Amino acid sequence: MKSLARFGTGLSRAATCSLARATTVRALATTATSVHTSSPSAEPVVTPPEGSTISLKSASRDESKFGTRPIYLDVQATSPTDPRVVDKMLEFYTGMYGNPHSSTHAYGWETDKEVEKAREYIAAGIKADPKEIIFTSGATESNNMAIKGVPRFYKKTKKHIITTQTEHKCVLDSARHMQDEGFDVTYLPVNEQGLISLDDLKNAIRKDTILVSVMAVNNEIGVIQPLKEIGQICRDNKIFFHTDAAQAYGKIDIDVNAMNIDLLSISSHKIYGPMGIGAIYIRRRPRVRLDPIITGGGQERGLRSGTLAPPLVAGFGEAARLMQTELEFDKAHITKLSEKLRAGLLSIPSTQLNGSHDPNSQYPGCVNISFAYIEGESLLMALKDIALSSGSACTSASLEPSYVLHALGADDALAHSSIRFGIGRFTTEAEIDYVINAINERVDFLRKMSPLWEMVQEGIDLDSIEWSGH
Amino acid sequence: MTTQREVLSLYKQLLNKAYKFDNYNFREYAKRKITHSFKTNKSVTDGESITQLYNAGIDSLAQLHRQATISGMFTFDKLVVEPLKKHH
Ligand SMILES: Cc1ncc(COP(=O)(O)O)c(C=O)c1O
């Protein structure tokens, strides 16, 4: 008889999550001390029961003949800085150190020229005018600026904001702040693929609606919202349309004029640029006005005061330029690897792809898959040789499963068992082959340990069981 | 006028530098990118275009040299997909 105490899902979420965090910390510690040296890989945290014949060790190869650093498949969190970007940035750290706002000497002029060049490259990526690009510290600041700034400016007559349930935390939190300031916020639901309904949007619009904020590409499931259609609805109703394009810029086609986008957030470190910089596009005609969050010397058209960081700006600009020149090459590579990964993982029984099945509404570089009867965290712990992120919000110290997957209608178990695979410019086919193989082995391993899986194999309907303690 | 020999030599030099990246992902990318670029432009016959591409390649070579050197100065553990080189 199966002992119920062995039920993996009975394990408190708190215990699983803190364990996951501890693993991360330990993994980081290893990395920090291991630059220049090589260290033996740590013991896997998940161990088979005593006396078990199944093993986590790969049967197919000799681990000692390979390196220990994990494969990086978390490009939605951040992407490696392109060496061509680093090359550009080094000019500024080695000689071109002028303040771009110093207008009295050559040091200022040369830096200012580079800053404006970067602005042009960034604007070109969304077919905007360079004057409409304002540098910020990242997409979080850009989102804050749009969602707080625009409604605050028009607060005398407008009191309503529309956004979606699957936005990034920085949009949702800014929206909550605006509720505290007396604004009404509508959070649009999404369907099981993660897309909003245009009818819902039309129905949510009120006379005093000032802003609609809908993200372009979702960071967890990679679904692409119908920007053009949303933009048209907003323009027809004279409402400003903001989109968080942190995961979309340079990866999908965006034309701010054709799509009637009024404000758009960009993050540099998601496009192989440096961290700590981003931008917001703010339309000039018809003019979008907003209350700045940071005031002072009046830089960036008075919308974002403070001395610019030319090394970051130029690196960001180069990264944006490369996104355009490399677009086709990157797209072909990422699509190819994405198809291979999806085929290799979805062939595992009881797996499910989260996101849209329509290639026109799905960014291929973000593959989110649920592995039923396995906890995402346990799988991540068993996958220390691959840097991945689970759909759950463990990283933000919250123990709830992913709110994005919940919004799609996924139940707790499914939301907990999902993993996001991020494929980028520097991912190789060998890495994808390794990942497919590793996931197949480990899922099989974890399921063999799972009494739930055993019961499913025996044909027991899990929904028919009455769990004690409920 | 850029000769075929010059182009071939540039291709070899670029690939050579690409192999020198210590970072696995940058190395593999550089190799893939260089091969792809030369393949794509194989059919270019116009002398002026060839010279333009050649000059861009020379700039890339200098950049690749700098970045491969830097990559060699800041090394990290090898990835789990990288075979460890046997010491002689
Ligand atoms: C959709 C989305 N918006 C905003 C952000 C935040 O960007 P940044 O790190 O530049 O503040 C992220 C990154 O996590 C994101 O994925």
Short mmCIF file of all heavy atoms in Angstrom, two decimals, chain A residues 278-320:
data_model
loop_
_atom_site.label_atom_id
_atom_site.label_comp_id
_atom_site.label_asym_id
_atom_site.label_seq_id
_atom_site.Cartn_x
_atom_site.Cartn_y
_atom_site.Cartn_z
N GLY A 278 16.92 52.00 -19.83
CA GLY A 278 15.78 51.67 -20.66
C GLY A 278 15.29 52.97 -21.27
O GLY A 278 15.98 53.99 -21.21
N ALA A 279 14.13 52.93 -21.86
CA ALA A 279 13.59 54.15 -22.47
C ALA A 279 12.08 54.08 -22.49
O ALA A 279 11.48 53.01 -22.34
CB ALA A 279 14.12 54.31 -23.89
N ILE A 280 11.49 55.25 -22.64
CA ILE A 280 10.05 55.29 -22.90
C ILE A 280 9.83 56.15 -24.13
O ILE A 280 10.45 57.21 -24.29
CB ILE A 280 9.23 55.79 -21.69
CG1 ILE A 280 7.73 55.76 -22.01
CG2 ILE A 280 9.68 57.18 -21.23
CD1 ILE A 280 6.84 55.90 -20.79
N TYR A 281 9.02 55.63 -25.04
CA TYR A 281 8.61 56.40 -26.20
C TYR A 281 7.37 57.18 -25.78
O TYR A 281 6.44 56.61 -25.21
CB TYR A 281 8.28 55.47 -27.37
CG TYR A 281 7.34 56.06 -28.39
CD1 TYR A 281 7.81 56.91 -29.38
CD2 TYR A 281 5.97 55.80 -28.33
CE1 TYR A 281 6.93 57.48 -30.29
CE2 TYR A 281 5.09 56.36 -29.23
CZ TYR A 281 5.58 57.20 -30.22
OH TYR A 281 4.71 57.77 -31.11
N ILE A 282 7.39 58.50 -26.01
CA ILE A 282 6.22 59.33 -25.70
C ILE A 282 5.85 60.13 -26.95
O ILE A 282 6.66 60.94 -27.42
CB ILE A 282 6.50 60.29 -24.52
CG1 ILE A 282 6.95 59.49 -23.28
CG2 ILE A 282 5.27 61.12 -24.20
CD1 ILE A 282 7.33 60.34 -22.09
N ARG A 283 4.69 59.87 -27.47
CA ARG A 283 4.24 60.50 -28.72
C ARG A 283 4.19 62.02 -28.61
O ARG A 283 3.78 62.57 -27.58
CB ARG A 283 2.87 59.93 -29.10
CG ARG A 283 2.26 60.53 -30.36
CD ARG A 283 0.96 59.83 -30.73
NE ARG A 283 1.19 58.47 -31.19
CZ ARG A 283 1.68 58.16 -32.39
NH1 ARG A 283 1.98 59.12 -33.25
NH2 ARG A 283 1.86 56.90 -32.73
N ARG A 284 4.64 62.69 -29.69
CA ARG A 284 4.60 64.15 -29.70
C ARG A 284 3.40 64.69 -30.48
O ARG A 284 2.94 65.80 -30.21
CB ARG A 284 5.88 64.70 -30.33
CG ARG A 284 7.03 64.79 -29.33
CD ARG A 284 8.38 64.80 -30.00
NE ARG A 284 8.57 65.93 -30.90
CZ ARG A 284 9.17 67.06 -30.56
NH1 ARG A 284 9.63 67.22 -29.34
NH2 ARG A 284 9.34 68.02 -31.43
N ARG A 285 2.93 63.93 -31.48
CA ARG A 285 1.77 64.40 -32.25
C ARG A 285 0.80 63.27 -32.47
O ARG A 285 1.17 62.31 -33.18
CB ARG A 285 2.24 64.97 -33.59
CG ARG A 285 2.29 66.49 -33.58
CD ARG A 285 2.66 67.02 -34.94
NE ARG A 285 4.04 66.67 -35.28
CZ ARG A 285 5.08 67.50 -35.10
NH1 ARG A 285 4.90 68.70 -34.65
NH2 ARG A 285 6.29 67.13 -35.41
N PRO A 286 -0.43 63.30 -31.94
CA PRO A 286 -0.92 64.27 -30.96
C PRO A 286 -0.19 64.09 -29.64
O PRO A 286 0.11 62.98 -29.24
CB PRO A 286 -2.40 63.92 -30.81
CG PRO A 286 -2.53 62.52 -31.30
CD PRO A 286 -1.45 62.29 -32.28
N ARG A 287 0.06 65.21 -29.00
CA ARG A 287 0.95 65.23 -27.86
C ARG A 287 0.38 64.49 -26.65
O ARG A 287 -0.78 64.62 -26.32
CB ARG A 287 1.22 66.68 -27.47
CG ARG A 287 2.25 66.81 -26.39
CD ARG A 287 3.02 68.09 -26.54
NE ARG A 287 3.86 68.31 -25.38
CZ ARG A 287 4.02 69.49 -24.82
NH1 ARG A 287 3.38 70.54 -25.30
NH2 ARG A 287 4.82 69.61 -23.80
N VAL A 288 1.24 63.69 -26.03
CA VAL A 288 0.88 63.01 -24.79
C VAL A 288 1.56 63.76 -23.67
O VAL A 288 2.77 63.98 -23.70
CB VAL A 288 1.39 61.55 -24.79
CG1 VAL A 288 1.03 60.87 -23.49
CG2 VAL A 288 0.83 60.79 -25.98
N ARG A 289 0.81 64.19 -22.68
CA ARG A 289 1.41 64.94 -21.59
C ARG A 289 1.39 64.12 -20.33
O ARG A 289 0.50 63.30 -20.11
CB ARG A 289 0.65 66.24 -21.39
CG ARG A 289 0.43 66.93 -22.74
CD ARG A 289 0.08 68.35 -22.62
NE ARG A 289 1.06 69.10 -21.87
CZ ARG A 289 0.96 70.42 -21.66
NH1 ARG A 289 -0.07 71.07 -22.15
NH2 ARG A 289 1.87 71.04 -20.97
N LEU A 290 2.42 64.29 -19.52
CA LEU A 290 2.46 63.54 -18.27
C LEU A 290 3.23 64.29 -17.20
O LEU A 290 4.07 65.13 -17.50
CB LEU A 290 3.03 62.13 -18.48
CG LEU A 290 4.35 61.94 -19.21
CD1 LEU A 290 5.52 62.07 -18.26
CD2 LEU A 290 4.36 60.56 -19.85
N ASP A 291 2.90 63.96 -15.96
CA ASP A 291 3.61 64.50 -14.79
C ASP A 291 4.88 63.71 -14.62
O ASP A 291 4.82 62.50 -14.42
CB ASP A 291 2.74 64.29 -13.53
CG ASP A 291 2.05 65.56 -13.12
OD1 ASP A 291 2.12 66.54 -13.87
OD2 ASP A 291 1.43 65.55 -12.04
N PRO A 292 6.05 64.34 -14.70
CA PRO A 292 7.27 63.55 -14.51
C PRO A 292 7.36 63.03 -13.07
O PRO A 292 6.82 63.63 -12.15
CB PRO A 292 8.40 64.54 -14.81
CG PRO A 292 7.80 65.88 -14.73
CD PRO A 292 6.33 65.75 -14.93
N ILE A 293 8.04 61.90 -12.90
CA ILE A 293 8.24 61.37 -11.56
C ILE A 293 9.51 61.97 -10.98
O ILE A 293 9.57 62.35 -9.82
CB ILE A 293 8.32 59.83 -11.59
CG1 ILE A 293 6.94 59.27 -11.96
CG2 ILE A 293 8.79 59.28 -10.24
CD1 ILE A 293 6.91 57.78 -12.10
N ILE A 294 10.55 62.08 -11.82
CA ILE A 294 11.82 62.64 -11.37
C ILE A 294 11.98 64.04 -11.97
O ILE A 294 11.97 64.20 -13.19
CB ILE A 294 12.99 61.73 -11.78
CG1 ILE A 294 12.83 60.37 -11.10
CG2 ILE A 294 14.33 62.37 -11.41
CD1 ILE A 294 13.90 59.37 -11.44
N THR A 295 12.11 65.04 -11.09
CA THR A 295 12.26 66.40 -11.58
C THR A 295 13.64 66.93 -11.16
O THR A 295 14.31 66.35 -10.32
CB THR A 295 11.17 67.32 -10.99
OG1 THR A 295 11.20 67.20 -9.58
CG2 THR A 295 9.80 66.92 -11.49
N GLY A 296 14.06 67.99 -11.79
CA GLY A 296 15.38 68.55 -11.47
C GLY A 296 15.89 69.42 -12.60
O GLY A 296 15.23 70.38 -12.99
N GLY A 297 17.03 69.07 -13.15
CA GLY A 297 17.71 69.89 -14.16
C GLY A 297 17.00 70.00 -15.50
O GLY A 297 17.47 70.74 -16.37
N GLY A 298 15.93 69.29 -15.68
CA GLY A 298 15.15 69.43 -16.91
C GLY A 298 15.70 68.68 -18.11
O GLY A 298 15.32 68.95 -19.25
N GLN A 299 16.58 67.70 -17.89
CA GLN A 299 17.07 66.90 -19.02
C GLN A 299 15.92 66.07 -19.58
O GLN A 299 14.89 65.90 -18.94
CB GLN A 299 18.20 65.96 -18.57
CG GLN A 299 19.51 66.65 -18.19
CD GLN A 299 19.59 66.99 -16.72
OE1 GLN A 299 18.59 66.98 -16.02
NE2 GLN A 299 20.79 67.31 -16.26
N GLU A 300 16.14 65.51 -20.78
CA GLU A 300 15.13 64.66 -21.44
C GLU A 300 13.78 65.38 -21.52
O GLU A 300 12.76 64.88 -21.06
CB GLU A 300 15.00 63.31 -20.73
CG GLU A 300 16.27 62.48 -20.70
CD GLU A 300 16.72 62.07 -22.09
OE1 GLU A 300 16.15 61.13 -22.66
OE2 GLU A 300 17.66 62.72 -22.61
N ARG A 301 13.79 66.55 -22.09
CA ARG A 301 12.57 67.36 -22.28
C ARG A 301 11.84 67.63 -20.97
O ARG A 301 10.64 67.86 -20.95
CB ARG A 301 11.61 66.65 -23.26
CG ARG A 301 12.05 66.75 -24.72
CD ARG A 301 11.31 65.78 -25.60
NE ARG A 301 9.86 65.87 -25.47
CZ ARG A 301 9.03 64.88 -25.76
NH1 ARG A 301 9.49 63.72 -26.17
NH2 ARG A 301 7.74 65.05 -25.62
N GLY A 302 12.58 67.59 -19.85
CA GLY A 302 11.96 67.87 -18.56
C GLY A 302 11.16 66.70 -18.03
O GLY A 302 10.59 66.76 -16.94
N LEU A 303 11.12 65.60 -18.78
CA LEU A 303 10.31 64.46 -18.36
C LEU A 303 11.08 63.50 -17.46
O LEU A 303 10.50 62.70 -16.74
CB LEU A 303 9.79 63.71 -19.59
CG LEU A 303 8.81 64.52 -20.45
CD1 LEU A 303 8.52 63.82 -21.76
CD2 LEU A 303 7.51 64.75 -19.68
N ARG A 304 12.41 63.59 -17.52
CA ARG A 304 13.22 62.70 -16.70
C ARG A 304 14.56 63.40 -16.45
O ARG A 304 15.51 63.24 -17.22
CB ARG A 304 13.44 61.37 -17.42
CG ARG A 304 13.61 60.18 -16.50
CD ARG A 304 14.97 60.12 -15.88
NE ARG A 304 15.20 58.87 -15.18
CZ ARG A 304 16.35 58.55 -14.61
NH1 ARG A 304 17.36 59.40 -14.64
NH2 ARG A 304 16.47 57.41 -13.99
N SER A 305 14.61 64.16 -15.36
CA SER A 305 15.82 64.92 -15.05
C SER A 305 16.93 64.00 -14.56
O SER A 305 16.67 62.88 -14.11
CB SER A 305 15.50 65.97 -13.99
OG SER A 305 14.72 66.99 -14.55
N GLY A 306 18.13 64.50 -14.62
CA GLY A 306 19.30 63.74 -14.17
C GLY A 306 20.29 63.57 -15.30
O GLY A 306 19.89 63.45 -16.46
N THR A 307 21.58 63.57 -14.97
CA THR A 307 22.62 63.38 -15.98
C THR A 307 22.48 62.00 -16.60
O THR A 307 22.34 61.01 -15.90
CB THR A 307 24.01 63.53 -15.35
OG1 THR A 307 24.11 64.81 -14.75
CG2 THR A 307 25.11 63.38 -16.39
N LEU A 308 22.52 61.94 -17.92
CA LEU A 308 22.45 60.65 -18.60
C LEU A 308 23.73 59.85 -18.34
O LEU A 308 24.76 60.43 -18.01
CB LEU A 308 22.30 60.86 -20.11
CG LEU A 308 20.93 61.31 -20.60
CD1 LEU A 308 21.02 61.66 -22.09
CD2 LEU A 308 19.90 60.22 -20.39
N ALA A 309 23.65 58.55 -18.52
CA ALA A 309 24.83 57.69 -18.39
C ALA A 309 25.28 57.27 -19.79
O ALA A 309 24.82 56.27 -20.32
CB ALA A 309 24.47 56.47 -17.55
N PRO A 310 26.17 58.06 -20.41
CA PRO A 310 26.53 57.80 -21.81
C PRO A 310 27.02 56.38 -22.11
O PRO A 310 26.64 55.82 -23.15
CB PRO A 310 27.61 58.83 -22.11
CG PRO A 310 27.34 59.92 -21.14
CD PRO A 310 26.85 59.25 -19.91
N PRO A 311 27.81 55.74 -21.24
CA PRO A 311 28.22 54.36 -21.58
C PRO A 311 27.00 53.44 -21.71
O PRO A 311 26.93 52.62 -22.63
CB PRO A 311 29.08 53.93 -20.39
CG PRO A 311 29.45 55.17 -19.68
CD PRO A 311 28.39 56.17 -19.95
N LEU A 312 26.03 53.61 -20.81
CA LEU A 312 24.83 52.77 -20.85
C LEU A 312 23.97 53.15 -22.06
O LEU A 312 23.45 52.28 -22.76
CB LEU A 312 24.02 52.93 -19.56
CG LEU A 312 24.72 52.56 -18.25
CD1 LEU A 312 23.74 52.65 -17.09
CD2 LEU A 312 25.30 51.16 -18.33
N VAL A 313 23.83 54.45 -22.28
CA VAL A 313 23.01 54.91 -23.41
C VAL A 313 23.58 54.38 -24.72
O VAL A 313 22.86 53.82 -25.55
CB VAL A 313 22.94 56.45 -23.43
CG1 VAL A 313 22.35 56.94 -24.75
CG2 VAL A 313 22.12 56.98 -22.26
N ALA A 314 24.90 54.50 -24.89
CA ALA A 314 25.52 54.07 -26.14
C ALA A 314 25.45 52.55 -26.29
O ALA A 314 25.22 52.02 -27.38
CB ALA A 314 26.97 54.55 -26.20
N GLY A 315 25.62 51.84 -25.17
CA GLY A 315 25.51 50.38 -25.21
C GLY A 315 24.10 49.96 -25.57
O GLY A 315 23.88 49.07 -26.41
N PHE A 316 23.13 50.61 -24.98
CA PHE A 316 21.72 50.37 -25.26
C PHE A 316 21.44 50.66 -26.73
O PHE A 316 20.77 49.87 -27.43
CB PHE A 316 20.90 51.27 -24.33
CG PHE A 316 19.40 51.23 -24.48
CD1 PHE A 316 18.75 50.16 -25.09
CD2 PHE A 316 18.63 52.27 -23.95
CE1 PHE A 316 17.37 50.13 -25.19
CE2 PHE A 316 17.25 52.25 -24.06
CZ PHE A 316 16.63 51.18 -24.69
N GLY A 317 21.98 51.78 -27.23
CA GLY A 317 21.79 52.15 -28.64
C GLY A 317 22.36 51.11 -29.58
O GLY A 317 21.73 50.71 -30.56
N GLU A 318 23.56 50.63 -29.25
CA GLU A 318 24.20 49.61 -30.09
C GLU A 318 23.38 48.32 -30.04
O GLU A 318 23.19 47.66 -31.07
CB GLU A 318 25.64 49.37 -29.60
CG GLU A 318 26.43 48.37 -30.42
CD GLU A 318 26.73 48.83 -31.84
OE1 GLU A 318 26.39 49.98 -32.18
OE2 GLU A 318 27.30 48.04 -32.61
N ALA A 319 22.89 47.98 -28.85
CA ALA A 319 22.07 46.77 -28.71
C ALA A 319 20.81 46.90 -29.57
O ALA A 319 20.41 45.95 -30.24
CB ALA A 319 21.70 46.56 -27.25
N ALA A 320 20.21 48.09 -29.56
CA ALA A 320 18.99 48.32 -30.35
C ALA A 320 19.30 48.24 -31.84
O ALA A 320 18.54 47.65 -32.62
CB ALA A 320 18.39 49.68 -30.01
#
